[in-house]
Amino acid sequence: MAGRHRLLLENAQQLVLVCGRGEEYLLREGAAGLPVLRDASVVVGLDGCIKAVGQADVIRNQFSGATFEKVIDCSGKCVLPGLVDAHTHPVWAGDRVHEFAMKLAGASYMEIHQAGGGIHFTVEHTRKATEEELFNTFKHRLERMRRVGSTLVECKSGYGLNLETELKMLRVIERAKQSMDIGISSTYCGAHSVPKGKTATEATDDIINNHLPKLKELQLSGEIHVNNIDVFCEKGVFDLESTRRILQAGKDIGLQINFHGDELHPMKSAELGAELGARAISHLEEVSDEGIMAMARAKCTAVLLPTTAYMLRLKQPQARKMLEEGVIVALGSDFNPNAYCFSMPMVMHLACVNMKMSMNEALVAATINAAYALGKSDTHGSIEAGKQGDLIIINSSRWEHLIYQFGGHEALINYVIVKGKVVYQNEMCGTMSSY
């Protein structure tokens, strides 16, 4: 096949497709037998999409007359889909390192929150920050996520709680979408907390009557493009009825429902999400058995966040029960000032050790299922012809090293590729063993 193409990855020891038949998501049974090709190659076209995947000799013959902008010899290495981080809060000012000591001394999340710390501390600093300051820190955080393999990231607002600052955060996210080589799914999270001086009912009314109409106006003008709506459905924050009102209003203007639920207290968030047709619900440490079954029936994704349970010393989400009941399970880092983790490989490791997921299940949860949670599994999350050429190459002959190694990825992740373009190349992989 003649013609010019953007990228050829050839002779990979292992090429982990994740999906081989165009699946939108994988349940437990599907994750048990991941398709892995040996001595394989992949071609990405000038449009950034995958043109061919297969055995190295077959691809070599098929593209014998073709030219490539870049060729990478992957002998002895593994190629995997770019990782998808399905839940982050990456736009903010004012870190909360001082609160880590309070947590270690026994203070709970809600105790810190009620004392004016937590989200309110970050809101105060984010409101004061300029758009340029927020963009610069956000850009560096995205670059750090990309270096550890994330090529599609869900990014929330939610540290403004007033219309002006929420829109400032969404503009920052939009700017990164337009200027950076990384996929972004943008989430309006103005109901992340009840602003000081308002009741939950007043905050709900403000969001429905003021925030969402302005968001719709800016969406129609093309100034910003928001994909999802989120609410922190929690005791002492937004109750079930307020959550229902906000999520339904967001759905009515075309946003996917993707919200925080059943984290600290059982709220019946899972049941509500299933009823409203939510694409995904995050956290779920306190989900009910009925909620799990409702999510399975509704094909509503459970976005589990092992970093949060680990750092807040919460009980672990019931990943095994969810998998056994047929829930679509995805993973996210929950990167935020309270859970400062950029690394999806570390998230997968924690999911295996603390939530008893298998390595196959964790990889599925951080690729195709995380993409499904964002409504993007038709373009992301697996290595299949027609999908976007988002790939990572690791300096190991077995893909499981991406999860098995807990940290220390500076010698493991060799290349990160977005739309067939190398966006990160790790020179250390040429001089240092990953073992």
Side-chain angles (χ1 to χ4, degrees), residues 187-199:
T187 301
Y188 165 76
C189 188
H192 196 196
S193 184
V194 177
K196 288 181 179 177
K198 277 192 169 80
T199 65

Side-chain angles (χ1 to χ4, degrees), residues 290-309:
E290 295 77 15
I292 290 173
M293 289 185 285
M295 289 182 71
R297 287 192 298 270
K299 294 185 171 54
C300 174
T301 318
V303 179
L304 305 184
L305 310 169
T307 49
T308 314

Side-chain angles (χ1 to χ4, degrees), residues 131-165:
E131 200 166 308
E132 194 65 26
E133 287 168 340
L134 289 175
F135 176 75
N136 287 333
T137 53
F138 177 43
K139 178 185 174 189
H140 291 311
R141 289 166 191 159
L142 285 176
E143 287 169 348
R144 289 180 70 180
M145 290 175 183
R146 204 168 56 183
R147 286 200 296 271
V148 283
S150 291
T151 57
L152 172 61
V153 180
E154 185 264 1
C155 299
K156 302 178 191 294
S157 69
Y159 291 118
L161 309 184
N162 60 27
L163 180 57
E164 177 189 358
T165 312

Side-chain angles (χ1 to χ4, degrees), residues 157 167 170 177 185-190 207 211-220 224-231 246-259 276-280 373-375:
S157 69
L167 292 179
L170 291 171
K177 266 190 187 184
S185 180
S186 175
T187 301
Y188 165 76
C189 188
I207 287 166
H211 291 216
L212 292 179
K214 185 64 176 177
L215 208 56
K216 182 179 179 181
E217 176 192 320
L218 295 173
Q219 293 255 82
L220 289 171
I224 57 174
H225 303 86
V226 180
N227 307 101
N228 315 291
I229 184 159
D230 192 353
V231 176
I246 295 168
L247 293 178
Q248 186 61 57
K251 185 178 181 180
D252 290 346
I253 65 166
L255 302 180
Q256 294 180 129
I257 296 175
N258 188 331
F259 72 111
L276 294 177
R279 190 74 188 194
L374 304 178

